[in-house]
Amino acid sequence: MPKLKTSSTAKKRFKQFAHGKIKRRRAFHSHLLTGKTKKRKRRLRGHGVVSIGDEKRIRRRLPYL
């Protein structure tokens, strides 16, 4: 079998937790932050977990994750 190509965009955006779920960065935390409340910005910090529906698509783009 030939080697599979890993999607460069996906490898920059997603990592895997030790228990196997895929983590992602939360959206809406890069600019226009003055209009957002402290509470909202605090919640946007850290990582989210990819939904089950999207996980299959992401794993196809990251064959060696």
Side-chain angles (χ1 to χ4, degrees), residues 15-59:
K15 298 280 185 266
Q16 192 171 26
F17 284 113
H19 51 75
K21 294 200 177 209
I22 298 175
K23 65 180 172 181
R24 62 171 174 79
R25 193 167 167 238
R26 291 186 193 275
F28 307 109
H29 193 59
S30 58
H31 64 346
L32 298 174
L33 297 173
T34 54
K36 294 170 185 143
T37 63
K38 286 180 187 179
K39 181 180 179 180
R40 184 173 168 194
K41 288 187 280 191
R42 194 167 53 244
R43 281 199 319 258
L44 292 172
R45 255 189 253 146
H47 293 282
V49 178
V50 170
S51 67
I52 295 166
D54 293 329
E55 196 169 329
K56 186 178 179 183
R57 283 192 338 213
I58 292 166
R59 287 200 186 275

